[in-house]
Amino acid sequence: MKNSASNPLEGTPKDFAPYGIYNSTGQLLKGNILFGQYTELATQLDTKRSAFYLKSKEYGNEVILGCSLSVKTDNGREERIVFIQVYKNLHSENRVNSDIQLLKQFSDIQSLKQLYEGVESEVERLDLKKYRLVGLWDEKDFINIREIQINDDVLEYTAGKILAGRKVSVKVSDLSSGLSLIIRLIERLRYRYTFSVDVSQYPSETEVSISLMKPNPDFEIGENGKYRKSSESELWDFYKDLSKEPLKDKTSHSKGSQTQSDFISPVVNKILNDSLHYRSPSDLVLNEFEDKEKVEIFQGLVKKPADISNSIIKKVLLDIYNKIESPECKKDLYKVLISNNVYIEGPIKDLIIGIYKEHDEDLFNLLFSNTSLEKSSLNNLGGRRAQNSLKNSKYKSFKEEIKKALELFEYSDKISFLKFIAAEAPPKPKDEGRILLGTLIEDLVSIKKNDFVLKLSEDEAENLDQIQGTDYLKTKKTLKQGKKSRNIRIIFYTSALFIIIITASYFYIYLAPSLFLYLEKAFDYLLSIFS
């Protein structure tokens, strides 16, 4: 028997790569010490009663096969054991081709029967304990496996869902249906990416879990391959279409394991293609993805500026934004927008409001703090070019969104916002921060001219002068002096008025009664004359 994995397909099916045999508790009965690392997997396969487990990872660097078996000892006692075989560290230059050739070993039902015959031979040659193979789920079921016709719709849906990084659950009526589906999937998936599949009595956590007992499956396969889908029709069609994305270059597979971006890329491409036909993904489709994945989809869409003007793409972007609940993911989305100079309605307004209400340092820095590279670039531009950059048309929509946000602020809120920015902003902020500050000041001036300057501390006014190239500190002192002079005049006139009021009051209280008595006597005298 060969123990090298360099060319696993030479010879008969009994020329196996290294393997391990375990009892139901995960104890290694046969195999070198390296197979100790698969103890947990062995226990899992036994618990799930896995008839066929396959995991291909790192594009051929490692392929793991496994199955759980029912056996009998010489005394007739029935036990369960697990068989695990590993193809590992294939030559890097032939890694992809070796992987493909290896998986071709499972091109039809007959090849699977040969695999199980080989497993049977190895199990019955155990030195530690004599076993006779009974079957996978039932007695001699591995001999009675038959090929079932699998509908292409099922394959396309499953392939598309795996391509999007989603798990697929399938309920089958018998072992033959599950293994027939596995064969067709391996044939379809082997050129694309890493994957894991499992045909078992009980549901597993593999990317494709095919089992007899599966609550809420994506679809069911009954007798003679007839299927019944449980997934929503819209989701079914979405994943079917996704499976038709062009194949990647095989050579790229040798670069390492698949990343989340590999999953997101085909989703982005489909959305872009659908937008050309005035179609966009529904809430049902977007709900399939977690917040982090939504941000990645968003990022993939905004990286192509020509597509942002498309009304369908704008709608998708807003739909994605409105569905993100995680505050951290929202921050990531804001970063995507600002770094790509994309200022769509809604998110930018929320960003401005968030900076004011929460004084969030990360959001504030997103608009105001330059990286060392950006600072160097700004210094090289010079003041005039830096100011001219603010007139760039790419910032027009950004400024409009700031205005919409400021409409929701009271005057006192705007003053507080200005004081916060003036206290925290660096002397040379990013263009976005400079535009926010300039727009806020324009708004304040339009309401009460330069009165806002009096609300600033001298340090705040001085910092604004450094940022904006203005003379707010001088203006503040001038306005303050003018206000002081006005206050003195007000005090003088108020004092004079007070004196007048006191004098009039004295006259009324002390002199007016005597005058009134004199006039009364004079009037009586005149009456006496005429009478």
Side-chain angles (χ1 to χ4, degrees):
M1 183 186 304
K2 294 183 180 181
N3 288 324
S4 172
S6 61
N7 192 356
L9 296 179
E10 287 186 356
T12 68
K14 292 184 180 181
D15 291 327
F16 282 4
Y19 66 88
I21 297 177
Y22 307 77
N23 64 15
S24 58
T25 64
Q27 179 185 353
L28 185 63
L29 302 178
K30 184 176 181 180
N32 64 50
I33 192 172
L34 295 177
F35 275 85
Q37 65 184 299
Y38 300 105
T39 296
E40 185 176 346
L41 174 60
T43 305
Q44 171 192 316
L45 297 184
D46 176 74
T47 302
K48 303 300 182 182
R49 298 294 191 263
S50 296
F52 183 91
Y53 171 90
L54 183 145
K55 184 171 185 178
S56 171
K57 60 182 183 178
E58 297 184 18
Y59 302 113
N61 183 51
E62 184 175 34
V63 177
I64 303 173
L65 306 174
C67 59
S68 173
L69 309 160
S70 176
V71 295
K72 278 188 177 180
T73 62
D74 287 343
N75 61 11
R77 179 182 174 182
E78 190 165 330
E79 297 181 6
R80 295 202 68 86
I81 63 172
V82 175
F83 180 91
I84 294 178
Q85 186 177 33
V86 180
Y87 296 91
K88 195 170 184 179
N89 297 325
L90 301 175
H91 295 304
S92 58
E93 65 270 18
N94 297 317
R95 184 172 295 166
V96 176
N97 290 332
S98 296
D99 189 18
I100 293 170
Q101 292 300 319
L102 172 62
L103 297 181
K104 277 185 178 179
Q105 185 173 230
F106 314 113
S107 58
D108 54 32
I109 289 295
Q110 188 58 38
S111 65
L112 280 184
K113 286 184 177 181
Q114 291 176 350
L115 170 68
Y116 289 126
E117 288 172 3
V119 172
E120 180 182 28
S121 174
E122 297 303 320
V123 167
E124 294 181 353
R125 290 167 55 187
L126 267 175
D127 296 328
L128 185 64
K129 204 170 188 179
K130 294 300 179 182
Y131 286 123
R132 178 179 65 82
L133 180 60
V134 176
L136 298 165
W137 296 343
D138 300 307
E139 188 167 359
K140 297 297 180 182
D141 54 3
F142 64 94
I143 296 176
N144 300 320
I145 299 169
R146 59 192 179 91
E147 186 162 359
I148 303 295
Q149 187 68 31
I150 302 297
N151 192 288
D152 285 342
D153 278 3
V154 166
L155 293 171
E156 289 173 358
Y157 171 84
T158 304
K161 200 167 184 185
I162 296 175
L163 184 61
R166 309 298 95 189
K167 289 185 176 181
V168 184
S169 60
V170 185
K171 184 177 181 180
V172 292
S173 59
D174 54 44
L175 181 60
S176 292
S177 297
L179 293 176
S180 296
L181 176 58
I182 283 289
I183 289 172
R184 294 292 307 278
L185 282 176
I186 290 173
E187 179 185 4
R188 191 176 188 94
L189 300 177
R190 65 183 180 222
Y191 293 101
R192 289 197 174 186
Y193 31 67
T194 63
F195 61 94
S196 60
V197 295
D198 189 20
V199 181
S200 55
Q201 284 188 319
Y202 305 102
S204 68
E205 297 301 318
T206 52
E207 289 166 293
V208 182
S209 173
I210 304 169
S211 65
L212 292 177
M213 306 173 187
K214 192 72 179 179
N216 304 317
D218 289 83
F219 58 89
E220 299 179 33
I221 299 180
E223 294 182 1
N224 301 319
K226 291 183 180 180
Y227 76 95
R228 183 172 69 85
K229 59 184 180 182
S230 304
S231 175
E232 297 280 353
S233 295
E234 190 171 354
L235 287 177
W236 187 271
D237 293 338
F238 176 82
Y239 288 122
K240 273 184 61 182
D241 291 344
L242 201 62
S243 72
K244 298 170 186 176
E245 284 293 316
L247 293 174
K248 293 184 179 181
D249 183 359
K250 297 177 192 176
T251 58
S252 67
H253 289 181
S254 62
K255 294 179 180 178
S257 59
Q258 188 174 17
T259 65
Q260 191 178 52
S261 296
D262 294 328
F263 296 137
I264 296 304
S265 179
V267 176
V268 170
N269 290 336
K270 174 167 171 50
I271 293 173
L272 292 174
N273 291 334
D274 284 352
S275 71
L276 300 177
H277 304 285
Y278 302 99
R279 296 194 303 264
S280 63
S282 67
D283 290 348
L284 193 63
V285 171
L286 293 178
N287 286 339
E288 287 281 284
F289 300 92
E290 297 177 357
D291 280 359
K292 286 184 178 180
E293 294 170 323
K294 290 187 182 81
V295 173
E296 285 200 62
I297 295 172
F298 193 98
Q299 184 175 21
L301 293 173
V302 302
K303 277 189 174 180
K304 299 183 178 182
D307 296 309
I308 303 302
S309 58
N310 185 312
S311 60
I312 300 296
I313 298 300
K314 278 188 177 180
K315 178 183 179 302
V316 175
L317 292 174
L318 283 174
D319 287 345
I320 293 173
Y321 171 76
N322 290 327
K323 284 190 166 297
I324 294 177
E325 297 180 355
S326 164
E328 290 305 313
C329 288
K330 281 253 172 136
K331 287 182 182 181
D332 291 338
L333 188 143
Y334 292 140
K335 291 175 185 176
V336 171
L337 288 173
I338 299 301
S339 62
N340 288 278
N341 299 122
V342 175
Y343 311 113
I344 57 176
E345 184 176 354
I348 297 300
K349 182 177 70 176
D350 291 347
L351 170 61
I352 301 303
I353 294 173
I355 291 174
Y356 169 63
K357 288 187 175 180
E358 300 172 19
H359 286 189
D360 188 286
E361 183 178 357
D362 292 334
L363 297 182
F364 183 84
N365 290 337
L366 186 59
L367 296 187
F368 285 90
S369 294
N370 284 298
T371 64
S372 57
L373 182 62
E374 290 170 329
K375 288 176 181 176
S376 174
S377 175
L378 187 61
N379 289 336
N380 292 335
L381 280 173
R384 181 176 297 179
R385 289 188 63 188
Q387 288 296 327
N388 289 340
S389 70
L390 304 186
K391 299 177 182 179
N392 194 309
S393 60
K394 71 180 181 181
Y395 292 120
K396 183 177 179 181
S397 58
F398 180 62
K399 187 170 183 176
E400 291 302 315
E401 289 305 305
I402 294 173
K403 290 180 178 179
K404 290 177 184 178
L406 293 179
E407 288 175 1
L408 304 175
F409 288 32
E410 298 290 342
Y411 182 79
S412 58
D413 294 328
K414 296 173 184 178
I415 292 294
S416 297
F417 196 16
L418 179 64
K419 288 175 67 65
F420 170 66
I421 295 174
E424 301 295 331
K428 295 182 179 179
K430 294 169 66 173
D431 286 347
E432 288 86 356
R434 198 186 300 271
I435 291 171
L436 169 57
L437 184 56
T439 306
L440 176 57
I441 291 174
E442 288 175 8
D443 187 89
L444 289 168
V445 170
S446 69
I447 299 173
K448 292 187 178 180
K449 297 186 178 180
N450 280 341
D451 283 4
F452 71 89
V453 178
L454 292 171
K455 305 291 184 180
L456 301 172
S457 69
E458 290 192 2
D459 288 341
E460 291 167 350
E462 185 177 10
N463 196 27
L464 287 183
D465 288 343
Q466 292 184 40
I467 296 171
Q468 300 289 95
T470 52
D471 292 316
Y472 289 131
L473 181 58
K474 182 178 179 181
T475 302
K476 175 181 173 61
K477 291 178 178 179
T478 301
L479 290 175
K480 191 174 181 180
Q481 184 63 38
K483 186 176 181 180
K484 184 177 180 181
S485 299
R486 286 197 303 273
N487 289 340
I488 291 173
R489 288 196 298 272
I490 289 171
I491 292 172
F492 172 77
Y493 290 130
T494 301
S495 300
L497 180 61
F498 181 74
I499 292 171
I500 292 172
I501 292 172
I502 293 298
T503 303
S505 299
Y506 176 81
F507 177 80
Y508 178 78
I509 294 172
Y510 293 103
L511 298 180
S514 301
L515 179 61
F516 178 77
L517 183 61
Y518 174 78
L519 290 174
E520 184 179 22
K521 289 180 178 181
F523 183 71
D524 288 340
Y525 174 74
L526 290 173
L527 285 177
S528 64
I529 294 175
F530 288 106
S531 62

